Amino acid sequence: MSLAEFLSKDLLKSHSTGKAEITQLLAVVRREIKDVSVTGLSTDRRFACSYNAALQLSHIVIASTGYRTNPSKSGHHKLTFEAAELILGAEVQLMLDHFEIARRKRNMIDYNVSGSISESESEDLQKAVLDFQTHVLKWLSANHPDLI
């Protein structure tokens, strides 16, 4: 599906962002990445923090491009990753596929199951998020330097 199709189906809406909004979202990303290192935090919660950082980075990409997801539509987390991939291109597909798998697991640990995330799963997601953060920051610098 294209961004135009997302708009026509009311899954995305036009949105005007600014430096303040992007700065706030980047602060959320930094908090989530920092919280992954909190002593005593369960692997489930570390995984969820990494997932949220990936989600917020994807929101940054979408907002910077002039859109926002429609939260009244179901599946807006999935849509966030799909739209970010359309904007950023195929070079991030593997990372965003990883985040889509993490989305389903995060949903389970937040609502249904405890203790199902292994240490290696949590660490793999954290690494993918750090790589994605680097990519998004480079993309922002190149495409929307006025927002950072």
Side-chain angles (χ1 to χ4, degrees), residues 68-119:
R68 67 176 176 82
T69 57
N70 185 347
S72 67
K73 299 288 184 176
S74 65
H76 67 276
H77 284 208
K78 181 177 178 160
L79 170 68
T80 300
F81 295 126
E82 290 173 0
E85 183 179 338
L86 283 172
I87 294 164
L88 295 173
E91 62 193 65
V92 297
Q93 181 181 357
L94 290 177
M95 280 186 267
L96 290 164
D97 287 350
H98 190 154
F99 301 149
E100 171 55 21
I101 293 166
R103 179 190 66 79
R104 287 182 248 142
K105 289 181 179 184
R106 193 271 326 167
N107 199 43
M108 280 184 8
I109 62 174
D110 273 1
Y111 302 112
N112 300 330
V113 180
S114 177
S116 63
I117 300 298
S118 70
E119 189 69 36

mmCIF file of all heavy atoms in Angstrom, residues 68-119:
data_model
loop_
_atom_site.group_PDB
_atom_site.id
_atom_site.type_symbol
_atom_site.label_atom_id
_atom_site.label_comp_id
_atom_site.label_asym_id
_atom_site.label_seq_id
_atom_site.Cartn_x
_atom_site.Cartn_y
_atom_site.Cartn_z
ATOM 1 N N ARG A 68 0.478 11.711 10.377
ATOM 2 C CA ARG A 68 0.366 11.030 11.657
ATOM 3 C C ARG A 68 -0.593 9.866 11.450
ATOM 4 O O ARG A 68 -1.434 9.893 10.553
ATOM 5 C CB ARG A 68 -0.111 11.948 12.776
ATOM 6 C CG ARG A 68 -1.529 12.442 12.624
ATOM 7 C CD ARG A 68 -1.981 13.275 13.832
ATOM 8 N NE ARG A 68 -3.300 13.821 13.632
ATOM 9 C CZ ARG A 68 -4.445 13.177 13.830
ATOM 10 N NH1 ARG A 68 -4.428 11.930 14.264
ATOM 11 N NH2 ARG A 68 -5.598 13.760 13.616
ATOM 12 N N THR A 69 -0.448 8.847 12.265
ATOM 13 C CA THR A 69 -1.379 7.726 12.160
ATOM 14 C C THR A 69 -2.697 8.125 12.805
ATOM 15 O O THR A 69 -2.754 9.026 13.647
ATOM 16 C CB THR A 69 -0.832 6.465 12.855
ATOM 17 O OG1 THR A 69 -0.547 6.767 14.212
ATOM 18 C CG2 THR A 69 0.408 5.944 12.154
ATOM 19 N N ASN A 70 -3.745 7.460 12.411
ATOM 20 C CA ASN A 70 -5.062 7.698 12.980
ATOM 21 C C ASN A 70 -5.258 6.723 14.129
ATOM 22 O O ASN A 70 -5.510 5.537 13.905
ATOM 23 C CB ASN A 70 -6.140 7.502 11.910
ATOM 24 C CG ASN A 70 -7.512 7.861 12.410
ATOM 25 O OD1 ASN A 70 -7.731 8.030 13.603
ATOM 26 N ND2 ASN A 70 -8.463 7.970 11.499
ATOM 27 N N PRO A 71 -5.123 7.192 15.383
ATOM 28 C CA PRO A 71 -5.190 6.265 16.519
ATOM 29 C C PRO A 71 -6.569 5.643 16.727
ATOM 30 O O PRO A 71 -6.699 4.666 17.454
ATOM 31 C CB PRO A 71 -4.794 7.138 17.712
ATOM 32 C CG PRO A 71 -5.077 8.527 17.284
ATOM 33 C CD PRO A 71 -4.897 8.567 15.797
ATOM 34 N N SER A 72 -7.597 6.176 16.082
ATOM 35 C CA SER A 72 -8.921 5.575 16.235
ATOM 36 C C SER A 72 -9.085 4.337 15.352
ATOM 37 O O SER A 72 -10.042 3.595 15.493
ATOM 38 C CB SER A 72 -10.018 6.593 15.917
ATOM 39 O OG SER A 72 -9.985 6.932 14.541
ATOM 40 N N LYS A 73 -8.123 4.112 14.478
ATOM 41 C CA LYS A 73 -8.151 2.924 13.632
ATOM 42 C C LYS A 73 -7.342 1.813 14.298
ATOM 43 O O LYS A 73 -6.271 2.059 14.845
ATOM 44 C CB LYS A 73 -7.548 3.220 12.255
ATOM 45 C CG LYS A 73 -8.280 4.288 11.479
ATOM 46 C CD LYS A 73 -9.599 3.776 10.982
ATOM 47 C CE LYS A 73 -10.268 4.821 10.120
ATOM 48 N NZ LYS A 73 -11.494 4.340 9.530
ATOM 49 N N SER A 74 -7.842 0.616 14.245
ATOM 50 C CA SER A 74 -7.101 -0.492 14.846
ATOM 51 C C SER A 74 -5.853 -0.778 14.026
ATOM 52 O O SER A 74 -5.802 -0.512 12.829
ATOM 53 C CB SER A 74 -7.981 -1.740 14.944
ATOM 54 O OG SER A 74 -8.318 -2.186 13.658
ATOM 55 N N GLY A 75 -4.854 -1.300 14.695
ATOM 56 C CA GLY A 75 -3.619 -1.669 14.029
ATOM 57 C C GLY A 75 -2.691 -0.509 13.740
ATOM 58 O O GLY A 75 -1.852 -0.600 12.857
ATOM 59 N N HIS A 76 -2.828 0.588 14.500
ATOM 60 C CA HIS A 76 -2.003 1.751 14.166
ATOM 61 C C HIS A 76 -0.516 1.539 14.471
ATOM 62 O O HIS A 76 0.319 2.182 13.853
ATOM 63 C CB HIS A 76 -2.548 3.048 14.769
ATOM 64 C CG HIS A 76 -2.498 3.146 16.238
ATOM 65 N ND1 HIS A 76 -3.473 2.613 17.050
ATOM 66 C CD2 HIS A 76 -1.605 3.725 17.043
ATOM 67 C CE1 HIS A 76 -3.169 2.859 18.298
ATOM 68 N NE2 HIS A 76 -2.035 3.528 18.327
ATOM 69 N N HIS A 77 -0.146 0.632 15.365
ATOM 70 C CA HIS A 77 1.274 0.341 15.568
ATOM 71 C C HIS A 77 1.845 -0.322 14.312
ATOM 72 O O HIS A 77 2.914 0.066 13.827
ATOM 73 C CB HIS A 77 1.496 -0.577 16.772
ATOM 74 C CG HIS A 77 1.369 0.108 18.088
ATOM 75 N ND1 HIS A 77 2.038 -0.329 19.197
ATOM 76 C CD2 HIS A 77 0.659 1.194 18.483
ATOM 77 C CE1 HIS A 77 1.740 0.450 20.237
ATOM 78 N NE2 HIS A 77 0.900 1.379 19.816
ATOM 79 N N LYS A 78 1.136 -1.310 13.791
ATOM 80 C CA LYS A 78 1.577 -1.986 12.572
ATOM 81 C C LYS A 78 1.678 -0.988 11.428
ATOM 82 O O LYS A 78 2.660 -0.977 10.676
ATOM 83 C CB LYS A 78 0.608 -3.119 12.226
ATOM 84 C CG LYS A 78 1.006 -3.878 10.994
ATOM 85 C CD LYS A 78 0.074 -5.041 10.724
ATOM 86 C CE LYS A 78 0.532 -5.708 9.446
ATOM 87 N NZ LYS A 78 0.093 -7.022 9.279
ATOM 88 N N LEU A 79 0.682 -0.155 11.292
ATOM 89 C CA LEU A 79 0.670 0.866 10.247
ATOM 90 C C LEU A 79 1.859 1.821 10.392
ATOM 91 O O LEU A 79 2.444 2.241 9.393
ATOM 92 C CB LEU A 79 -0.636 1.657 10.299
ATOM 93 C CG LEU A 79 -0.697 2.901 9.427
ATOM 94 C CD1 LEU A 79 -0.702 2.522 7.955
ATOM 95 C CD2 LEU A 79 -1.896 3.737 9.775
ATOM 96 N N THR A 80 2.233 2.140 11.610
ATOM 97 C CA THR A 80 3.359 3.040 11.854
ATOM 98 C C THR A 80 4.626 2.469 11.235
ATOM 99 O O THR A 80 5.378 3.178 10.556
ATOM 100 C CB THR A 80 3.539 3.281 13.367
ATOM 101 O OG1 THR A 80 2.351 3.877 13.882
ATOM 102 C CG2 THR A 80 4.726 4.173 13.658
ATOM 103 N N PHE A 81 4.896 1.200 11.448
ATOM 104 C CA PHE A 81 6.078 0.575 10.881
ATOM 105 C C PHE A 81 5.984 0.477 9.355
ATOM 106 O O PHE A 81 6.967 0.689 8.649
ATOM 107 C CB PHE A 81 6.342 -0.794 11.507
ATOM 108 C CG PHE A 81 6.684 -0.721 12.971
ATOM 109 C CD1 PHE A 81 5.985 -1.461 13.906
ATOM 110 C CD2 PHE A 81 7.714 0.091 13.429
ATOM 111 C CE1 PHE A 81 6.303 -1.403 15.262
ATOM 112 C CE2 PHE A 81 8.042 0.165 14.775
ATOM 113 C CZ PHE A 81 7.328 -0.589 15.693
ATOM 114 N N GLU A 82 4.801 0.172 8.844
ATOM 115 C CA GLU A 82 4.622 0.082 7.394
ATOM 116 C C GLU A 82 4.851 1.442 6.731
ATOM 117 O O GLU A 82 5.526 1.526 5.691
ATOM 118 C CB GLU A 82 3.226 -0.441 7.062
ATOM 119 C CG GLU A 82 3.022 -1.897 7.405
ATOM 120 C CD GLU A 82 1.589 -2.360 7.223
ATOM 121 O OE1 GLU A 82 0.709 -1.552 6.817
ATOM 122 O OE2 GLU A 82 1.324 -3.541 7.489
ATOM 123 N N ALA A 83 4.293 2.485 7.303
ATOM 124 C CA ALA A 83 4.457 3.826 6.732
ATOM 125 C C ALA A 83 5.911 4.280 6.817
ATOM 126 O O ALA A 83 6.443 4.871 5.870
ATOM 127 C CB ALA A 83 3.537 4.818 7.447
ATOM 128 N N ALA A 84 6.581 3.996 7.920
ATOM 129 C CA ALA A 84 7.993 4.372 8.060
ATOM 130 C C ALA A 84 8.828 3.670 6.991
ATOM 131 O O ALA A 84 9.735 4.276 6.411
ATOM 132 C CB ALA A 84 8.505 4.035 9.456
ATOM 133 N N GLU A 85 8.516 2.424 6.710
ATOM 134 C CA GLU A 85 9.256 1.704 5.670
ATOM 135 C C GLU A 85 9.016 2.331 4.296
ATOM 136 O O GLU A 85 9.948 2.478 3.502
ATOM 137 C CB GLU A 85 8.863 0.231 5.644
ATOM 138 C CG GLU A 85 9.655 -0.565 4.630
ATOM 139 C CD GLU A 85 9.295 -2.046 4.612
ATOM 140 O OE1 GLU A 85 8.761 -2.563 5.601
ATOM 141 O OE2 GLU A 85 9.577 -2.676 3.572
ATOM 142 N N LEU A 86 7.782 2.713 4.010
ATOM 143 C CA LEU A 86 7.499 3.372 2.730
ATOM 144 C C LEU A 86 8.307 4.670 2.592
ATOM 145 O O LEU A 86 8.806 4.984 1.516
ATOM 146 C CB LEU A 86 6.008 3.687 2.610
ATOM 147 C CG LEU A 86 5.097 2.528 2.279
ATOM 148 C CD1 LEU A 86 3.643 2.943 2.396
ATOM 149 C CD2 LEU A 86 5.384 2.001 0.876
ATOM 150 N N ILE A 87 8.434 5.390 3.671
ATOM 151 C CA ILE A 87 9.142 6.676 3.647
ATOM 152 C C ILE A 87 10.651 6.474 3.559
ATOM 153 O O ILE A 87 11.327 7.140 2.772
ATOM 154 C CB ILE A 87 8.765 7.507 4.885
ATOM 155 C CG1 ILE A 87 7.285 7.901 4.817
ATOM 156 C CG2 ILE A 87 9.658 8.745 5.006
ATOM 157 C CD1 ILE A 87 6.701 8.387 6.141
ATOM 158 N N LEU A 88 11.175 5.562 4.355
ATOM 159 C CA LEU A 88 12.626 5.381 4.434
ATOM 160 C C LEU A 88 13.187 4.483 3.334
ATOM 161 O O LEU A 88 14.374 4.568 3.017
ATOM 162 C CB LEU A 88 13.016 4.817 5.803
ATOM 163 C CG LEU A 88 12.742 5.727 6.996
ATOM 164 C CD1 LEU A 88 13.000 4.985 8.294
ATOM 165 C CD2 LEU A 88 13.570 7.003 6.906
ATOM 166 N N GLY A 89 12.376 3.611 2.808
ATOM 167 C CA GLY A 89 12.821 2.755 1.718
ATOM 168 C C GLY A 89 13.256 1.370 2.155
ATOM 169 O O GLY A 89 13.295 1.041 3.344
ATOM 170 N N ALA A 90 13.623 0.589 1.157
ATOM 171 C CA ALA A 90 13.930 -0.828 1.343
ATOM 172 C C ALA A 90 15.124 -1.074 2.257
ATOM 173 O O ALA A 90 15.224 -2.142 2.859
ATOM 174 C CB ALA A 90 14.176 -1.486 -0.014
ATOM 175 N N GLU A 91 16.011 -0.102 2.394
ATOM 176 C CA GLU A 91 17.210 -0.328 3.220
ATOM 177 C C GLU A 91 16.887 -0.564 4.694
ATOM 178 O O GLU A 91 17.719 -1.097 5.423
ATOM 179 C CB GLU A 91 18.202 0.814 3.064
ATOM 180 C CG GLU A 91 17.676 2.156 3.523
ATOM 181 C CD GLU A 91 18.546 3.307 3.066
ATOM 182 O OE1 GLU A 91 18.630 3.536 1.859
ATOM 183 O OE2 GLU A 91 19.132 3.954 3.939
ATOM 184 N N VAL A 92 15.694 -0.191 5.127
ATOM 185 C CA VAL A 92 15.311 -0.422 6.530
ATOM 186 C C VAL A 92 14.319 -1.577 6.676
ATOM 187 O O VAL A 92 13.845 -1.838 7.778
ATOM 188 C CB VAL A 92 14.721 0.852 7.184
ATOM 189 C CG1 VAL A 92 15.745 1.957 7.239
ATOM 190 C CG2 VAL A 92 13.453 1.290 6.492
ATOM 191 N N GLN A 93 14.030 -2.263 5.585
ATOM 192 C CA GLN A 93 13.007 -3.299 5.631
ATOM 193 C C GLN A 93 13.290 -4.367 6.685
ATOM 194 O O GLN A 93 12.388 -4.732 7.445
ATOM 195 C CB GLN A 93 12.848 -3.954 4.265
ATOM 196 C CG GLN A 93 11.771 -5.032 4.280
ATOM 197 C CD GLN A 93 11.592 -5.726 2.957
ATOM 198 O OE1 GLN A 93 12.234 -5.396 1.969
ATOM 199 N NE2 GLN A 93 10.715 -6.703 2.934
ATOM 200 N N LEU A 94 14.516 -4.852 6.765
ATOM 201 C CA LEU A 94 14.818 -5.901 7.741
ATOM 202 C C LEU A 94 14.621 -5.414 9.169
ATOM 203 O O LEU A 94 14.093 -6.145 10.015
ATOM 204 C CB LEU A 94 16.240 -6.426 7.543
ATOM 205 C CG LEU A 94 16.467 -7.253 6.276
ATOM 206 C CD1 LEU A 94 17.932 -7.661 6.161
ATOM 207 C CD2 LEU A 94 15.562 -8.478 6.248
ATOM 208 N N MET A 95 15.038 -4.172 9.448
ATOM 209 C CA MET A 95 14.832 -3.626 10.793
ATOM 210 C C MET A 95 13.347 -3.529 11.105
ATOM 211 O O MET A 95 12.904 -3.932 12.189
ATOM 212 C CB MET A 95 15.469 -2.234 10.913
ATOM 213 C CG MET A 95 16.950 -2.257 11.150
ATOM 214 S SD MET A 95 17.602 -0.600 11.444
ATOM 215 C CE MET A 95 18.089 -0.142 9.802
ATOM 216 N N LEU A 96 12.572 -3.008 10.157
ATOM 217 C CA LEU A 96 11.147 -2.828 10.408
ATOM 218 C C LEU A 96 10.402 -4.154 10.443
ATOM 219 O O LEU A 96 9.420 -4.292 11.189
ATOM 220 C CB LEU A 96 10.555 -1.840 9.404
ATOM 221 C CG LEU A 96 11.069 -0.422 9.672
ATOM 222 C CD1 LEU A 96 10.827 0.499 8.499
ATOM 223 C CD2 LEU A 96 10.458 0.156 10.937
ATOM 224 N N ASP A 97 10.862 -5.146 9.705
ATOM 225 C CA ASP A 97 10.295 -6.495 9.849
ATOM 226 C C ASP A 97 10.547 -7.025 11.257
ATOM 227 O O ASP A 97 9.673 -7.657 11.869
ATOM 228 C CB ASP A 97 10.914 -7.456 8.823
ATOM 229 C CG ASP A 97 10.430 -7.208 7.402
ATOM 230 O OD1 ASP A 97 9.471 -6.432 7.205
ATOM 231 O OD2 ASP A 97 11.040 -7.801 6.476
ATOM 232 N N HIS A 98 11.749 -6.758 11.778
ATOM 233 C CA HIS A 98 12.097 -7.155 13.152
ATOM 234 C C HIS A 98 11.140 -6.475 14.147
ATOM 235 O O HIS A 98 10.646 -7.112 15.086
ATOM 236 C CB HIS A 98 13.545 -6.755 13.424
ATOM 237 C CG HIS A 98 14.114 -7.299 14.690
ATOM 238 N ND1 HIS A 98 15.451 -7.498 14.856
ATOM 239 C CD2 HIS A 98 13.547 -7.690 15.864
ATOM 240 C CE1 HIS A 98 15.684 -7.975 16.067
ATOM 241 N NE2 HIS A 98 14.547 -8.085 16.696
ATOM 242 N N PHE A 99 10.855 -5.201 13.912
ATOM 243 C CA PHE A 99 9.962 -4.465 14.820
ATOM 244 C C PHE A 99 8.530 -4.977 14.713
ATOM 245 O O PHE A 99 7.785 -4.956 15.694
ATOM 246 C CB PHE A 99 10.021 -2.965 14.560
ATOM 247 C CG PHE A 99 11.402 -2.372 14.718
ATOM 248 C CD1 PHE A 99 11.795 -1.288 13.962
ATOM 249 C CD2 PHE A 99 12.326 -2.915 15.615
ATOM 250 C CE1 PHE A 99 13.067 -0.738 14.094
ATOM 251 C CE2 PHE A 99 13.598 -2.390 15.760
ATOM 252 C CZ PHE A 99 13.968 -1.293 14.995
ATOM 253 N N GLU A 100 8.127 -5.440 13.534
ATOM 254 C CA GLU A 100 6.784 -5.999 13.381
ATOM 255 C C GLU A 100 6.651 -7.284 14.197
ATOM 256 O O GLU A 100 5.648 -7.513 14.869
ATOM 257 C CB GLU A 100 6.478 -6.253 11.899
ATOM 258 C CG GLU A 100 5.212 -7.029 11.648
ATOM 259 C CD GLU A 100 3.948 -6.442 12.259
ATOM 260 O OE1 GLU A 100 3.899 -5.237 12.575
ATOM 261 O OE2 GLU A 100 2.993 -7.210 12.462
ATOM 262 N N ILE A 101 7.667 -8.113 14.185
ATOM 263 C CA ILE A 101 7.656 -9.326 15.012
ATOM 264 C C ILE A 101 7.638 -8.926 16.492
ATOM 265 O O ILE A 101 6.896 -9.494 17.296
ATOM 266 C CB ILE A 101 8.870 -10.221 14.678
ATOM 267 C CG1 ILE A 101 8.719 -10.775 13.263
ATOM 268 C CG2 ILE A 101 9.027 -11.345 15.700
ATOM 269 C CD1 ILE A 101 9.980 -11.389 12.696
ATOM 270 N N ALA A 102 8.439 -7.922 16.830
ATOM 271 C CA ALA A 102 8.478 -7.438 18.215
ATOM 272 C C ALA A 102 7.128 -6.877 18.636
ATOM 273 O O ALA A 102 6.730 -7.019 19.792
ATOM 274 C CB ALA A 102 9.572 -6.380 18.369
ATOM 275 N N ARG A 103 6.414 -6.259 17.706
ATOM 276 C CA ARG A 103 5.086 -5.698 18.019
ATOM 277 C C ARG A 103 4.153 -6.796 18.515
ATOM 278 O O ARG A 103 3.466 -6.639 19.532
ATOM 279 C CB ARG A 103 4.487 -5.032 16.771
ATOM 280 C CG ARG A 103 3.098 -4.438 17.001
ATOM 281 C CD ARG A 103 2.451 -4.010 15.697
ATOM 282 N NE ARG A 103 2.160 -5.117 14.808
ATOM 283 C CZ ARG A 103 1.116 -5.941 14.935
ATOM 284 N NH1 ARG A 103 0.244 -5.796 15.923
ATOM 285 N NH2 ARG A 103 0.926 -6.930 14.084
ATOM 286 N N ARG A 104 4.165 -7.914 17.831
ATOM 287 C CA ARG A 104 3.288 -9.016 18.236
ATOM 288 C C ARG A 104 3.701 -9.591 19.593
ATOM 289 O O ARG A 104 2.854 -9.882 20.441
ATOM 290 C CB ARG A 104 3.294 -10.105 17.164
ATOM 291 C CG ARG A 104 2.519 -9.652 15.929
ATOM 292 C CD ARG A 104 2.471 -10.731 14.870
ATOM 293 N NE ARG A 104 3.284 -10.250 13.749
ATOM 294 C CZ ARG A 104 4.066 -11.002 13.022
ATOM 295 N NH1 ARG A 104 4.174 -12.286 13.244
ATOM 296 N NH2 ARG A 104 4.754 -10.470 12.031
ATOM 297 N N LYS A 105 5.020 -9.706 19.817
ATOM 298 C CA LYS A 105 5.499 -10.222 21.098
ATOM 299 C C LYS A 105 5.213 -9.232 22.226
ATOM 300 O O LYS A 105 4.822 -9.619 23.319
ATOM 301 C CB LYS A 105 6.997 -10.524 21.028
ATOM 302 C CG LYS A 105 7.314 -11.728 20.184
ATOM 303 C CD LYS A 105 8.793 -12.023 20.158
ATOM 304 C CE LYS A 105 9.062 -13.256 19.326
ATOM 305 N NZ LYS A 105 10.468 -13.644 19.353
ATOM 306 N N ARG A 106 5.419 -7.948 21.944
ATOM 307 C CA ARG A 106 5.164 -6.925 22.962
ATOM 308 C C ARG A 106 3.688 -6.935 23.358
ATOM 309 O O ARG A 106 3.327 -6.797 24.519
ATOM 310 C CB ARG A 106 5.572 -5.542 22.424
ATOM 311 C CG ARG A 106 5.659 -4.446 23.458
ATOM 312 C CD ARG A 106 4.416 -3.658 23.740
ATOM 313 N NE ARG A 106 3.559 -3.453 22.601
ATOM 314 C CZ ARG A 106 2.314 -3.008 22.709
ATOM 315 N NH1 ARG A 106 1.795 -2.712 23.880
ATOM 316 N NH2 ARG A 106 1.565 -2.850 21.651
ATOM 317 N N ASN A 107 2.835 -7.146 22.386
ATOM 318 C CA ASN A 107 1.408 -7.220 22.672
ATOM 319 C C ASN A 107 1.116 -8.375 23.635
ATOM 320 O O ASN A 107 0.340 -8.220 24.578
ATOM 321 C CB ASN A 107 0.633 -7.387 21.364
ATOM 322 C CG ASN A 107 -0.813 -7.030 21.507
ATOM 323 O OD1 ASN A 107 -1.152 -6.041 22.140
ATOM 324 N ND2 ASN A 107 -1.669 -7.828 20.908
ATOM 325 N N MET A 108 1.755 -9.515 23.407
ATOM 326 C CA MET A 108 1.561 -10.672 24.294
ATOM 327 C C MET A 108 2.043 -10.368 25.708
ATOM 328 O O MET A 108 1.347 -10.650 26.680
ATOM 329 C CB MET A 108 2.315 -11.892 23.763
ATOM 330 C CG MET A 108 1.623 -12.618 22.655
ATOM 331 S SD MET A 108 2.490 -14.123 22.118
ATOM 332 C CE MET A 108 3.792 -14.385 23.274
ATOM 333 N N ILE A 109 3.258 -9.798 25.835
ATOM 334 C CA ILE A 109 3.808 -9.598 27.179
ATOM 335 C C ILE A 109 3.089 -8.493 27.926
ATOM 336 O O ILE A 109 3.052 -8.504 29.154
ATOM 337 C CB ILE A 109 5.336 -9.355 27.172
ATOM 338 C CG1 ILE A 109 5.709 -8.092 26.415
ATOM 339 C CG2 ILE A 109 6.065 -10.561 26.651
ATOM 340 C CD1 ILE A 109 7.181 -7.718 26.478
ATOM 341 N N ASP A 110 2.504 -7.544 27.212
ATOM 342 C CA ASP A 110 1.779 -6.475 27.892
ATOM 343 C C ASP A 110 0.384 -6.906 28.333
ATOM 344 O O ASP A 110 -0.153 -6.360 29.285
ATOM 345 C CB ASP A 110 1.673 -5.231 27.012
ATOM 346 C CG ASP A 110 2.869 -4.321 27.150
ATOM 347 O OD1 ASP A 110 3.803 -4.650 27.915
ATOM 348 O OD2 ASP A 110 2.882 -3.266 26.492
ATOM 349 N N TYR A 111 -0.191 -7.882 27.647
ATOM 350 C CA TYR A 111 -1.585 -8.210 27.929
ATOM 351 C C TYR A 111 -1.845 -9.647 28.361
ATOM 352 O O TYR A 111 -2.846 -9.909 29.022
ATOM 353 C CB TYR A 111 -2.455 -7.896 26.701
ATOM 354 C CG TYR A 111 -2.368 -6.458 26.279
ATOM 355 C CD1 TYR A 111 -1.762 -6.103 25.084
ATOM 356 C CD2 TYR A 111 -2.862 -5.441 27.089
ATOM 357 C CE1 TYR A 111 -1.670 -4.774 24.697
ATOM 358 C CE2 TYR A 111 -2.767 -4.113 26.713
ATOM 359 C CZ TYR A 111 -2.173 -3.784 25.507
ATOM 360 O OH TYR A 111 -2.080 -2.482 25.134
ATOM 361 N N ASN A 112 -0.971 -10.593 27.985
ATOM 362 C CA ASN A 112 -1.346 -11.991 28.195
ATOM 363 C C ASN A 112 -0.348 -12.857 28.947
ATOM 364 O O ASN A 112 -0.743 -13.735 29.689
ATOM 365 C CB ASN A 112 -1.611 -12.680 26.836
ATOM 366 C CG ASN A 112 -2.720 -12.010 26.063
ATOM 367 O OD1 ASN A 112 -3.628 -11.442 26.624
ATOM 368 N ND2 ASN A 112 -2.625 -12.070 24.749
ATOM 369 N N VAL A 113 0.941 -12.682 28.702
ATOM 370 C CA VAL A 113 1.939 -13.632 29.165
ATOM 371 C C VAL A 113 3.086 -12.895 29.832
ATOM 372 O O VAL A 113 3.510 -11.844 29.365
ATOM 373 C CB VAL A 113 2.493 -14.455 27.970
ATOM 374 C CG1 VAL A 113 3.541 -15.440 28.435
ATOM 375 C CG2 VAL A 113 1.379 -15.161 27.229
ATOM 376 N N SER A 114 3.613 -13.476 30.884
ATOM 377 C CA SER A 114 4.772 -12.898 31.569
ATOM 378 C C SER A 114 5.940 -13.850 31.456
ATOM 379 O O SER A 114 5.771 -15.070 31.527
ATOM 380 C CB SER A 114 4.433 -12.668 33.046
ATOM 381 O OG SER A 114 5.545 -12.176 33.733
ATOM 382 N N GLY A 115 7.128 -13.281 31.269
ATOM 383 C CA GLY A 115 8.341 -14.087 31.267
ATOM 384 C C GLY A 115 8.613 -14.837 29.988
ATOM 385 O O GLY A 115 9.374 -15.805 29.992
ATOM 386 N N SER A 116 8.058 -14.395 28.882
ATOM 387 C CA SER A 116 8.235 -15.148 27.627
ATOM 388 C C SER A 116 9.356 -14.608 26.740
ATOM 389 O O SER A 116 9.666 -15.207 25.715
ATOM 390 C CB SER A 116 6.925 -15.161 26.835
ATOM 391 O OG SER A 116 6.570 -13.850 26.455
ATOM 392 N N ILE A 117 9.982 -13.507 27.128
ATOM 393 C CA ILE A 117 11.056 -12.915 26.332
ATOM 394 C C ILE A 117 12.402 -13.349 26.907
ATOM 395 O O ILE A 117 12.664 -13.186 28.100
ATOM 396 C CB ILE A 117 10.954 -11.378 26.316
ATOM 397 C CG1 ILE A 117 9.624 -10.920 25.721
ATOM 398 C CG2 ILE A 117 12.132 -10.759 25.567
ATOM 399 C CD1 ILE A 117 9.390 -11.311 24.277
ATOM 400 N N SER A 118 13.252 -13.901 26.043
ATOM 401 C CA SER A 118 14.575 -14.321 26.493
ATOM 402 C C SER A 118 15.525 -13.131 26.522
ATOM 403 O O SER A 118 15.262 -12.089 25.917
ATOM 404 C CB SER A 118 15.141 -15.391 25.548
ATOM 405 O OG SER A 118 15.468 -14.811 24.299
ATOM 406 N N GLU A 119 16.616 -13.320 27.217
ATOM 407 C CA GLU A 119 17.651 -12.283 27.283
ATOM 408 C C GLU A 119 18.155 -11.946 25.883
ATOM 409 O O GLU A 119 18.332 -10.774 25.538
ATOM 410 C CB GLU A 119 18.802 -12.768 28.174
ATOM 411 C CG GLU A 119 19.823 -11.715 28.488
ATOM 412 C CD GLU A 119 19.318 -10.620 29.406
ATOM 413 O OE1 GLU A 119 18.526 -10.902 30.321
ATOM 414 O OE2 GLU A 119 19.715 -9.448 29.196
#
